[in-house]
Every structure is written in structure tokens, then in C-alpha cells.
């Protein structure tokens, strides 16, 4: 917001940003919560989001899918070794 960048506006001309913009417009701005996968900035990502009651805002946490899955991969490897 401070630098004037809007994913929703950018997605109108940059189809690579459409997935994130769709989540923001169709779920977050409607006060929904959820977990979604999308592509952004050349990487597959996963994001969880939920509304903040009484504010009209939502809070989101996102990571690349590789980062998100790295703990699971370690757990699988540890389980196989034991």
C-alpha cells in the first residue's frame, strides 16, 4: 500500500497475478477464511487467511510451497530412517 502497488490492479494486465487477485477479491474481501494455493512471482505458493473481526480487514500468511512442504519432507525422511 505504501508504494502504491495493488495485486488486484496489476492482475488486470498481468495474468500471472490473477490467482492471488482472485483469492483476495472473491474470498478475503468477502470476509471468508481459508487456505489456497496460487502462483505468484514465479513460484507456487500457499496462503492461509482469516478476517479480523470488527475491522473489515483480513490477515494472511503465505509461503512458497517448497518452504511449506520442507518440514513434511524432513518428517517423512526421519520416519523412514527410524
Amino acid at each position: 500500500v505504501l508504494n502504491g502497488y495493488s495485486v488486484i490492479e496489476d492482475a488486470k494486465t498481468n495474468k500471472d497475478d490473477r490467482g492471488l487477485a482472485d483469492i483476495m477479491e472473491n474470498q478475503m474481501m468477502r470476509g471468508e477464511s481459508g487456505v489456497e494455493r496460487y502462483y505468484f512471482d514465479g513460484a507456487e505458493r500457499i496462503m492461509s487467511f482469516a478476517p479480523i473481526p470488527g475491522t473489515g480487514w483480513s490477515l494472511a500468511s503465505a509461503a512458497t510451497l517448497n518452504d511449506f512442504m520442507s518440514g513434511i519432507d524432513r518428517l517423512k525422511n526421519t520416519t523412514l530412517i527410524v
Side-chain angles (χ1 to χ4, degrees):
V1 173
L2 294 176
N3 67 3
Y5 177 76
S6 167
V7 169
I8 294 171
E9 288 299 313
D10 190 48
K12 292 176 182 176
T13 57
N14 183 355
K15 66 180 173 94
D16 293 336
D17 292 347
R18 192 69 241 160
L20 178 56
D22 284 344
I23 295 166
M24 293 172 73
E25 287 182 301
N26 298 322
Q27 296 178 55
M28 293 176 71
M29 292 174 72
R30 293 181 179 170
E32 296 177 14
S33 55
V35 176
E36 295 288 343
R37 289 167 62 167
Y38 62 97
Y39 285 91
F40 184 75
D41 200 22
E44 187 174 11
R45 298 171 186 269
I46 189 165
M47 174 174 67
S48 63
F49 54 92
I52 302 170
T55 66
W57 288 78
S58 288
L59 178 66
S61 178
T64 64
L65 196 57
N66 286 341
D67 285 346
F68 180 77
M69 298 299 285
S70 67
I72 293 171
D73 290 338
R74 279 194 306 272
L75 179 61
K76 286 190 309 189
N77 291 338
T78 301
T79 303
L80 290 173
I81 293 171
V82 174

